[in-house]
């Protein structure tokens, strides 16, 4: 309970929209998807998956306090399915996530995922690390290596959210599920935080 109360302040929901011709010369925004992200720093950088933003033309970020901000894309890493947005929220509204490490993770340790499955924001699920060193394809079909496998329920909309250890530190970015039905089958995958730590500052 305490971990969720503390760390959910760092988690955001992201809505993606495309533009369609409207009446006259006006463009109309059409919602095209939702996902999750988290606050990286007090400068307003938000980290999420590349595929959460893919195909969108407008993005909005809703913070834990329910304030909504227009977002701009700062950088995309398609090969690693990572992306950075920027919002102009004041620093006092932003709670950066605590950064952990993925070097010393062990199969069996408890993990927690916070996200917006099916648009239900601020949802907590929990489980264990089920496997380490997995590979999943990125949007560019290059393999992402060293991926964390977890049985914490991860569903559509969880993508881009944090996978946390029992101290509430970021150890991975929830990215994909293996499922014949497209919903949680107890096999979720997260990009390890050490890869995130190398990629995000470059972006």
């Amino acid at each position: 309970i305490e971990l969720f109360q503390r760390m959910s302040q760092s988690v955001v929901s992201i809505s993606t929209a495309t533009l369609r011709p409207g009446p006259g010369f006006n463009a109309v925004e059409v919602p095209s998807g939702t996902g999750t992200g988290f606050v990286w720093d007090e400068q307003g950088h938000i980290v999420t998956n590349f595929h959460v933003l893919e195909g969108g033309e407008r993005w909005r970020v809703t913070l834990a306090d329910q304030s909504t901000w227009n977002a701009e894309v700062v950088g995309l890493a398609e090969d690693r399915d990572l992306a950075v947005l920027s919002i102009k929220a004041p620093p006092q509204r932003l709670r950066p996530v605590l950064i952990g490490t993925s070097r010393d993770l062990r199969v069996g340790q408890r993990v927690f995922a916070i996200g917006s499955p099916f648009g239900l924001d601020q949802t907590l699920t929990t489980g264990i690390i089920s496997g380490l060193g997995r590979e999943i394809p990125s949007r560019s079909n290059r393999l992402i290596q060293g991926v964390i496998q977890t049985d914490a329920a991860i569903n559509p909309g969880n993508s881009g959210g944090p996978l946390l250890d029992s101290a509430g530190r970021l150890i991975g970015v929830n990215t994909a599920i293996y499922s014949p039905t497209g919903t949680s089958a107890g096999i979720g995958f997260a990009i390890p935080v050490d890869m995130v730590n190398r990629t995000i500052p470059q972006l």
Side-chain angles (χ1 to χ4, degrees):
I1 294 169
E2 189 269 336
L3 179 143
F4 175 77
Q5 289 175 335
R6 195 160 35 93
M7 299 316 303
S8 62
Q9 302 303 306
S10 303
V11 181
V12 307
S13 57
I14 298 170
S15 58
T16 300
T18 55
L19 298 177
R20 295 284 181 270
F25 293 101
N26 297 321
V28 176
E29 285 192 13
V30 179
S32 58
T34 60
T36 305
F38 53 88
V39 178
W40 183 258
D41 57 29
E42 290 186 344
Q43 283 72 56
H45 292 114
I46 306 293
V47 173
T48 187
N49 284 135
F50 169 83
H51 77 259
V52 169
L53 309 184
E54 194 176 20
E57 295 168 281
R58 292 276 192 278
W59 301 273
R60 287 198 177 90
V61 169
T62 302
L63 299 178
D65 65 8
Q66 297 304 305
S67 62
T68 298
W69 305 82
N70 291 327
E72 295 181 0
V73 174
V74 173
L76 303 169
E78 187 178 1
D79 287 349
R80 294 180 175 180
D81 204 351
L82 292 170
V84 180
L85 292 169
S86 176
I87 60 173
K88 290 186 163 58
Q92 61 269 26
R93 284 183 179 258
L94 299 168
R95 301 282 181 84
V97 74
L98 297 174
I99 307 293
T101 177
S102 48
R103 277 192 308 280
D104 51 2
L105 297 177
R106 306 282 297 274
V107 171
Q109 78 178 71
R110 285 179 66 79
V111 291
F112 302 83
I114 304 176
S116 305
F118 304 107
L120 299 168
D121 65 335
Q122 298 289 319
T123 294
L124 174 70
T125 54
T126 182
I128 60 170
I129 292 177
S130 306
L132 294 166
R134 305 304 196 203
E135 294 182 341
I136 59 172
S138 68
R139 282 305 213 230
S140 63
N141 285 321
R142 288 185 59 176
L143 288 177
I144 305 170
Q145 298 181 325
V147 171
I148 302 162
Q149 180 186 335
T150 178
D151 68 350
I154 295 172
N155 283 293
N158 270 113
S159 290
L163 188 69
L164 306 167
D165 66 12
S166 55
R169 294 173 301 216
L170 180 75
I171 56 170
V173 178
N174 299 319
T175 298
I177 50 176
Y178 176 79
S179 167
T181 63
T183 56
S184 177
I187 301 180
F189 297 104
I191 297 169
V193 70
D194 291 353
M195 181 181 293
V196 177
N197 247 336
R198 290 193 299 272
T199 306
I200 298 307
Q202 294 173 2
L203 293 183

